[in-house]
Amino acid sequence: MNNIFDKTKQLLCLSMAGTAALPFVSCSEQAAEKPMNILYIMCDDHSYQTLSAYDTTYIQTPNIDRIAADGVRFTNSFVANSISGPSRACMLTGKHSLANGFTDNSSSFDGGQQTYPKLLQQQGYETAVIGKWHLTSEPTGFNYWDILIGQGDYYNPTFICNGEKVVREGYATNVTTDLAIEWLGTIRDKNKPFCLLLHHKAPHRTWMPDTCDFSLFADAEFPLPETFYDNYEGRKAAAGQKMSISKDMDIIYDLKMADKDSAIHSRPDLEEWGRRMYKNMNAAQKAAWDAHYDKVIADFKAAGLKGKELDAWKFRQYMRDYLRVITSVDRNVGRVLDYLEENGLMDNTLIVYTSDQGFYMGEHGWFDKRFMYEESFRTPLLMRLPGGIKGDVTELVQNIDYAPTILELAGVEVPGDIHGESLLPLLKGEEWNPERKALYYHYYEFPDEHAVRPHYGVRTERYKLIHFYGDDYSEWELFDLATDKNELKNIYGTEGTEELTDSLKGVLRELQVLYGEEEYIDK
Ligand code: SGN
Ligand code: CA
């Protein structure tokens, strides 16, 4: 395997001559090749179950799959905290949530701290973030930033472009891609290597499709996942959540049944939002929306569904809209890849595709994320490194690893306080020896918005130990993933698991010390 890292250092040295100095690049090393650019594509809430490089049950995503076909598919990729803002902060800093200070979605990111885009920029990279940001404070470390406000709107969204508000006509995924291509083509300084963070807001709730995709999946049926009617036996925190498709997914707000004669009613606050759902749309968009949903609403009213039939309808409607939104993401990823190909950038650009966390597609009866259970703890991760290996990487990796990977690839020294491990050896097919023995997870937000209890835990290749905690609340869960992949059987405290539990608790404590979370030990 070529030493890409060394090559990159040489290349940067050449291209940076006369700009910022690279600290440990020897300028005597000459190379004719170009430096490595970074294209980091992240979607919001994109489940691996709906990405065909991982799972072909529901949808084909041929464009995103192009990244996997020429690169690496990480089959055991996880987040450190399964919720947007915190996950993004982990990615930017390479540190767990407590250390980077952004523990839940009500936090504000301390932009004065070290991030990988900032370090790249200091070393002469041209950096940009385009799309959903969700870290409250203004981005730092970017030559260009053009971000949605909060979650952003699907239709005609308002962006903040380097501090100025701009309303942009169109569908968010298309508009965000247009901006990315414009930045790549005409805005960036082409004398510098680039690092572009392209963050789609899609497919976040409420899964509003582009008008050209309404007809897709219209007749598709979706069988309920085998755990849809999970009774949560032995898992108190799972029983207490409010993210059930059956109970909490709103007919009007989430599933768009805002009938014009207001005969359908749902949760009053959500109904009101649902009835205003298309407030941002222009006349043509509204007409296309109504042409599709008015018919679905009429059929829904006529059917008068109740009980399990209603559950099945809700699940199907959710899946149809979610998959339509994914189709648009996939098409737009294709546009950016085409741009790279047409402009000769494929041979010197690392392409990453990931999500801020996984998502429930009806497993356990749920939508949303947050839990350390597999569907939301896992996240898709594809990386195409020119000259790197192709195929599957099965090691346990986490989103805190992205920052050191990118820094090492760019020839920037990885600061010692970063928690993550560089994945570059894995991309190059080399031996990988991470300092951690297992993955650590910590989720903090409660009770909003889906009543998932705060919890931390540890995952090894085979086992998962979780502690849900709070004032007067302490529930442990232990799963053997080899025999119980759906995590239905909590074996914590059962006979014969004492030694295993002690050993996992030991690993958990070690990780809490390693990541500066001593205050949570046995909390
Ligand atoms: C919003 C959603 C929630 C979701 C959070 C966090 N409600 O509040 O369902 O869990 O975002 O999502 S919504 O009615 O506003 O859509 S995150 O991915 O941004 O963390
Ligand atoms: Ca998210």
Side-chain angles (χ1 to χ4, degrees):
M1 182 62 51
N2 289 338
N3 191 333
I4 295 159
F5 176 39
D6 284 343
K7 231 189 249 170
T8 307
K9 283 195 293 181
Q10 298 160 11
L11 302 170
L12 278 174
C13 172
L14 274 182
S15 87
M16 290 301 109
T19 64
L22 289 161
F24 59 98
V25 172
S26 152
C27 280
S28 62
E29 298 171 350
Q30 297 284 311
E33 295 164 66
K34 298 177 196 160
M36 201 59 80
N37 303 304
I38 318 292
L39 171 62
Y40 175 90
I41 308 173
M42 178 168 62
C43 278
D44 202 359
D45 294 3
H46 190 175
S47 62
Y48 59 85
Q49 303 92 306
T50 58
L51 200 169
S52 54
Y54 283 97
D55 187 338
T56 54
T57 308
Y58 297 123
I59 192 171
Q60 288 295 326
T61 50
N63 290 296
I64 302 171
D65 292 4
R66 282 159 68 185
I67 303 169
D70 274 341
V72 163
R73 178 180 77 149
F74 288 89
T75 58
N76 285 301
S77 151
F78 299 85
V79 294
N81 186 352
S82 181
I83 183 96
S84 168
S87 177
R88 290 155 202 268
C90 290
M91 291 167 177
L92 286 172
T93 60
K95 295 176 186 167
H96 278 278
S97 302
L98 192 67
N100 70 46
F102 201 108
T103 51
D104 65 43
N105 270 346
S106 67
S107 310
S108 178
F109 189 69
D110 168 13
Q113 70 184 299
Q114 167 185 289
T115 63
Y116 82 82
K118 210 182 265 184
L119 293 171
L120 290 183
Q121 190 187 41
Q122 284 163 10
Q123 301 302 323
Y125 265 76
E126 181 88 344
T127 57
V129 58
I130 296 173
K132 179 172 169 181
W133 171 246
H134 211 204
L135 291 172
T136 312
S137 57
E138 285 192 348
T140 56
F142 296 98
N143 297 80
Y144 179 88
W145 50 276
D146 209 333
I147 57 168
L148 292 161
I149 299 172
Q151 299 286 3
D153 287 315
Y154 274 105
Y155 281 91
N156 312 323
T158 304
F159 284 77
I160 309 179
C161 175
N162 292 333
E164 299 290 323
K165 276 193 185 173
V166 193
V167 179
R168 296 202 169 93
E169 188 93 354
Y171 182 72
T173 310
N174 303 333
V175 173
T176 306
T177 306
D178 293 345
L179 289 172
I181 291 175
E182 194 185 339
W183 183 80
L184 286 167
T186 58
I187 301 176
R188 74 185 162 107
D189 178 351
K190 290 190 178 159
N191 295 313
K192 295 179 176 180
F194 70 79
C195 174
L196 170 59
L197 278 56
L198 169 51
H199 290 180
H200 288 295
K201 80 156 254 97
H204 192 275
R205 193 183 182 190
T206 54
W207 319 292
M208 292 169 78
D210 191 354
T211 51
C212 62
D213 293 322
F214 285 140
S215 60
L216 302 175
F217 305 99
D219 301 320
E221 295 292 331
F222 299 98
L224 294 178
E226 56 181 320
T227 59
F228 190 86
Y229 285 112
D230 187 355
N231 63 8
Y232 314 120
E233 193 189 333
R235 288 156 292 142
K236 271 197 190 150
Q241 54 46 59
K242 292 194 175 129
M243 46 191 253
S244 144
I245 291 176
S246 167
K247 297 197 191 88
D248 306 302
M249 184 174 272
D250 195 80
I251 291 284
I252 293 180
Y253 178 67
D254 291 304
L255 301 177
K256 305 149 189 108
M257 295 299 101
D259 56 336
K260 301 281 186 294
D261 47 0
S262 292
I264 300 177
H265 293 290
S266 63
R267 213 179 88 185
D269 53 333
L270 291 182
E271 173 173 343
E272 196 189 325
W273 278 108
R275 291 195 179 280
R276 282 196 277 152
M277 178 155 282
Y278 57 23
K279 65 182 186 321
N280 276 335
M281 291 185 181
N282 62 32
Q285 291 162 346
K286 280 181 179 156
W289 181 276
D290 289 343
H292 171 71
Y293 285 107
D294 282 355
K295 162 106 178 43
V296 183
I297 290 169
D299 291 349
F300 175 69
K301 275 180 160 172
L305 303 171
K306 293 209 165 39
K308 289 195 169 176
E309 277 186 348
L310 179 60
D311 293 345
W313 180 89
K314 289 176 85 174
F315 176 64
R316 193 170 64 217
Q317 192 64 20
Y318 161 54
M319 291 298 285
R320 287 176 179 173
D321 281 345
Y322 185 99
L323 296 175
R324 289 166 182 149
V325 174
I326 294 295
T327 303
S328 159
V329 167
D330 184 64
R331 180 167 58 237
N332 278 285
V333 167
R335 290 178 59 208
V336 183
L337 297 182
D338 289 349
Y339 177 90
L340 296 188
E341 273 173 12
E342 286 156 16
N343 289 276
L345 289 163
M346 290 304 265
D347 293 342
N348 62 330
T349 302
L350 167 74
I351 305 170
V352 180
Y353 185 89
T354 190
S355 174
D356 61 344
Q357 10 70 202
F359 210 72
Y360 293 92
M361 311 309 308
E363 299 88 356
H364 304 285
W366 298 337
F367 63 103
D368 215 65
K369 49 261 176 175
R370 299 162 192 264
F371 279 107
M372 196 189 167
Y373 304 133
E374 292 293 276
E375 291 83 356
S376 46
F377 184 23
R378 285 179 179 271
T379 198
L381 181 63
L382 309 171
M383 290 194 185
R384 180 193 182 279
L385 178 67
I389 62 159
K390 291 181 191 183
D392 283 354
V393 166
T394 57
E395 276 81 352
L396 303 186
V397 306
Q398 206 164 21
N399 59 354
I400 50 170
D401 300 333
Y402 305 174
T405 305
I406 292 169
L407 288 172
E408 190 183 354
L409 179 68
V412 179
E413 192 166 10
V414 178
D417 61 352
I418 280 188
H419 294 160
E421 305 271 349
S422 169
L423 307 177
L424 199 54
L426 293 172
L427 295 175
K428 290 155 62 177
E430 294 170 356
E431 209 179 304
W432 191 61
N433 296 305
E435 187 185 352
R436 62 184 181 232
K437 290 195 196 115
L439 297 184
Y440 179 67
Y441 179 86
H442 197 158
Y443 167 83
Y444 300 78
E445 194 168 303
F446 184 76
D448 286 338
E449 179 178 338
H450 295 287
V452 174
R453 289 273 173 184
H455 55 293
Y456 55 76
V458 64
R459 191 199 193 277
T460 64
E461 267 173 34
R462 176 159 181 185
Y463 297 103
K464 189 185 290 182
L465 178 73
I466 313 178
H467 186 214
F468 293 91
Y469 66 87
D471 296 337
D472 303 323
Y473 195 93
S474 175
E475 295 288 332
W476 289 88
E477 294 182 2
L478 173 63
F479 299 100
D480 179 350
L481 300 166
T483 58
D484 177 26
K485 71 175 173 45
N486 291 331
E487 299 161 292
L488 298 175
K489 199 166 180 283
N490 176 13
I491 55 171
Y492 184 85
T494 60
E495 209 183 317
T497 58
E498 299 81 358
E499 216 174 297
L500 171 67
T501 304
D502 281 353
S503 133
L504 287 169
K505 282 190 174 175
V507 177
L508 179 59
R509 271 184 225 113
E510 272 175 34
L511 290 172
Q512 287 177 316
V513 171
L514 183 66
Y515 300 136
E517 299 209 7
E518 291 89 344
E519 66 194 88
Y520 285 97
I521 292 177
D522 297 330
K523 187 180 159 94

